[in-house]
Structures are given as C-alpha cells and as structure tokens.
Amino acid sequence: MSNIAGYRRPMAGTQPNHLHPPYASSVARSPRQPLVYLPHTLSEVTGPIVGPERVDVKAFDLTKQHKGEPLGERIVVSGRVIDENGRPVPHTLVEIWQANSAGRYLHKVDQHNAPLDPNFTGCGHTLTDSEGRYRFVSIRPGEYPWKNHYNAWRPAHIHFSLFGPAFATRLVTQMYFQGDPLIPYDPIFNCTSDEKARNRLISQFDWESTIPEQALGYKFDIILNGRDSTPWENK
Amino acid sequence: MSLVKTTSQTVGPYFAIGLTWLNKSDLTAPGVSGKKVTIEGRLLDADGKPIPDGLIEVWQANSHGKYAHPEDKQDKPLEKGFQGFGRIPMDGNGCFRFTTIQPGPVPGPDGKPQAPHILVSVFARGMLDRLVTRIYFPDEPLNNSDFVLNLIEPARRGTLIARKKGEGLEWNIVVQGPEETVFFNC
Ligand SMILES: [Fe+2]
C-alpha cells in the first residue's frame, strides 16, 4: 500500500501558539517542548462521523428549547463550511454553545452576577447540507466579565466546534460580532498573530439572512484544512 | 486558493453546555470483538495540578485495525456497534476513564503496520488550540518498529505508552514539566 495524501498544515501565524501570556491560564496549560511533526497516516485522515441518526433536527434553533421565548435580540447565524481548496464540507457536525443575552452561562462554574434565563440553555448543533451550509437561530449573547486581568470583559461570542472529514481537520473556535467595541482588548481574540486570520472570526451583519420583523442575520464562514494533492512521501 | 484554516480558539470553561450531549466513555457494545480495556488517568498542568475543566476525544480503529470511515479501504471487517470515537470530560479531580477495545494495527508509511494506538485530542480552558497525542499499549512488540514512536527521542517515548494498573491501564497527560507528554503538530 502506498502512502496517502495528508491535510495541509496551517500557514505560519494563522493559528494561535499554545502559550499566549496575555491569556493568563495558557501559561501553565501549554507545553514547553516543541511539538513533534506528525505525518498524516490512515489514523489522521480518518475521523469520527456523526451522522443524521445522532442529530436532533430541531437543535439548530436555540430559541425553541423551552416553553417560552428567551430574552434578547433574536439572531440567525449562518454560513458555509469549506476547506482551504474552496470545496464545501458537506454533512459535517457543527456544535455551538453560548451565554444568554445577559452574558450568563447555564453552568455551575459561572458565578457572574447576571440573571439566568429559564427559557435559554445556550446549546445547539446541526449538520451542514450537501453544499456545506449551516444555519442556527439564537439570541445575541451578552458580553461578560472574567478574571483574566483588571476590568476584563469578553466580547460577545458564540463557541463553535467542528469535526470536518478527518481527525486532522478538527476545529474549535469562537465567533464574534461586527462592531463589538471589546474585540480589540480581548486576549483570546488576539491570540493569533495574523491580523487577517483573526478578523475572520468576526461575523458580519447580513441582510440576506435577516428575517423581517423577526431576527438579524450574521454570516460566519468556516474554513477547515485542505487536502494535499500528493502523498507526503513524494515531496 | 489562498484560503487558510479558521483560527482556533479555546473551548473556555463552559464547554460542557455544548459538548456533553455527545459524551461517550464506553466505546464497546455487545457483540464487538476484541480485548476490552479500561484506560484511566489524569490531566495535569505545569504545577502538577489537575485540570478539571478539560475534555479528551479519542479516535481509534477496531480490533481488526479498521477505521469506521469511508477513507479506510482496507479489506478488513467493520464492526457494527463500534464507531471508535469517544468524548470524555475530566471529573472534578482532573481524572478521566474510558472503556474500549484494544485497536488492531493500522498501516503506516509504505504499508508497514503501526503499533496499536489511540489518537487523542485534549481540550481545556487555557488551551488556545487542542493538544494532539497518542496512546500506545504496553508489551506490544510492534512498538519498537512504530514509525511515530521512532520520531520521538527515546527518553520521551514512554509518555505515550500506557502502564498496567490492576485490570486496566493508566495513562496520564502532563501538559508541561519534566514528565511532559509528547504532543504532535498534526
Ligand atoms: Fe465563552
């Protein structure tokens, strides 16, 4: 059996270093030894597949999980999942979680003095369609304080988790909102040195997906590793 | 194309809200063939302190060395009931424990078998990107010739090999320090 084509590694500066001292908890939770370069084998070009049988088709709508409507500004977050070669990533799982409109998470560790919303859990998932498109309905999450440094506030964000087609393409990220004044001050947003790469985490207001008299639309496209065209042994 | 992968961000402290629905710490099922094994350990930071707000995901082949994925074209049996994926959160003491089937060897470069292994992604508050590592099995003859283990300086290879503990195996993830686990650029 010959060798197989792997997935491309991110370009320098477009992914965070594990150690980013302005994000205080990265200091003790990042390795100091250099990472060992792992050529991709069958183990890395395969990966978990979560199919339609596992997925709740209603889980894309975070505003309909309880008896009443959650408080806050309704939003539609949608976009495409594509790879670095521009090809759609179809039928792949997208998971999200977020704070409620007051900036409070439904989590026992979150002690922020802001109200919980009995009509909002803040958890959703969906599969991309055959062209890599996904869509969530939710409410705009609130900004919230944290203890990283004095007067530290996280900009409004939604956490995203994706598998893509392979173990090598796994991605966990956060989506921000265009115009949020807290973004430039956030050490987590700023952990990636490449400015363009960073700014692609900011979703853009979008008329097309905005629902009249119902919800504002935000576009957020996600890019996963592209496949190399040739096996690595031949390079 | 000039597209680049979307930049990674930490899972933060509240990932349980979004990720718990897919937790799976017993990968086995009735009728699945192979040797059942329980692997437990701790996720430790630079000061040897446990990381309770962490999560691992595992990915592995079945006992025949076949992945439940369309890209595995090997002529080996798939096992209904064994998907090879687990998602295991740390408990309050930074401990994890999962039960699986010892995977069979899968091909590496030039078709030479890799030693049986499990791929691991580590996520936690404070980690801006996942950490990728592998679990290998003790007393496995293929370990000596495994091409991935041989990429690692001998003194550090042991960090990827689980140890026998009672009926099961123990394998710790040390994020930083003298016993630091080997992590990969994957
Ligand atoms: Fe958050």
Side-chain angles (χ1 to χ4, degrees), chain A residues 20-221:
Chain A
H20 180 63
Y23 177 30
S25 48
S26 76
V27 175
R29 294 183 171 192
S30 52
R32 289 295 174 274
Q33 298 286 337
L35 303 182
V36 174
Y37 185 91
L38 180 63
H40 291 165
T41 70
L42 188 61
S43 303
E44 290 78 27
V45 302
T46 56
I49 295 171
V50 177
E53 73 286 349
R54 303 287 306 274
V55 166
D56 175 357
V57 293
K58 297 192 299 296
F60 78 94
D61 190 342
L62 285 69
T63 67
K64 298 248 161 53
Q65 297 174 347
H66 299 273
K67 272 203 188 116
E69 294 234 22
L71 293 171
E73 181 182 277
R74 281 183 299 260
I75 57 172
V76 172
V77 177
S78 64
R80 284 184 86 202
V81 182
I82 59 176
D83 69 18
E84 291 167 319
N85 301 320
R87 295 193 186 96
V89 182
H91 315 302
T92 198
L93 181 68
V94 184
E95 300 170 278
I96 64 168
W97 66 99
Q98 64 166 89
N100 69 20
S101 60
R104 177 86 186 265
Y105 283 93
L106 183 58
H107 191 289
K108 60 182 186 308
V109 170
D110 188 358
Q111 297 300 319
H112 175 34
N113 176 24
L116 285 168
D117 182 341
N119 291 313
F120 193 72
T121 303
C123 156
H125 66 257
T126 191
L127 292 179
T128 58
D129 70 9
S130 58
E131 289 172 71
R133 287 180 299 234
Y134 74 89
R135 180 174 178 271
F136 289 103
V137 177
S138 189
I139 51 98
R140 186 184 167 111
E143 297 85 352
Y144 61 85
W146 61 315
K147 297 198 163 62
N148 187 70
H149 54 274
Y150 174 71
N151 207 6
W153 291 78
R154 295 291 333 273
H157 61 274
I158 298 178
H159 296 263
F160 274 71
S161 165
L162 293 96
F163 286 106
F167 179 84
T169 59
R170 186 89 174 86
L171 173 70
V172 173
T173 189
Q174 299 181 27
M175 182 205 97
Y176 300 84
F177 291 84
Q178 183 183 7
D180 189 326
L182 293 170
I183 289 175
Y185 307 102
D186 182 44
I188 293 179
F189 175 81
N190 282 311
C191 69
T192 301
S193 61
D194 186 279
E195 188 185 357
K196 271 194 198 149
R198 252 182 354 243
N199 286 339
R200 278 193 292 268
L201 296 179
I202 304 174
S203 63
Q204 302 295 308
F205 169 69
D206 176 54
W207 278 116
E208 262 177 58
S209 54
T210 293
I211 308 171
E213 293 167 45
Q214 182 68 19
L216 291 179
Y218 287 88
K219 263 281 177 280
F220 182 54
D221 292 331

Side-chain angles (χ1 to χ4, degrees), chain A residues 30 43-44 176 192 227, chain B residues 7 9 57 67 71 134 176:
Chain A
S30 52
S43 303
E44 290 78 27
Y176 300 84
T192 301
R227 197 79 185 260
Chain B
T7 190
Q9 297 265 276
E57 287 179 355
Y67 286 103
E71 209 151 312
R134 284 182 170 203
Q176 190 191 119

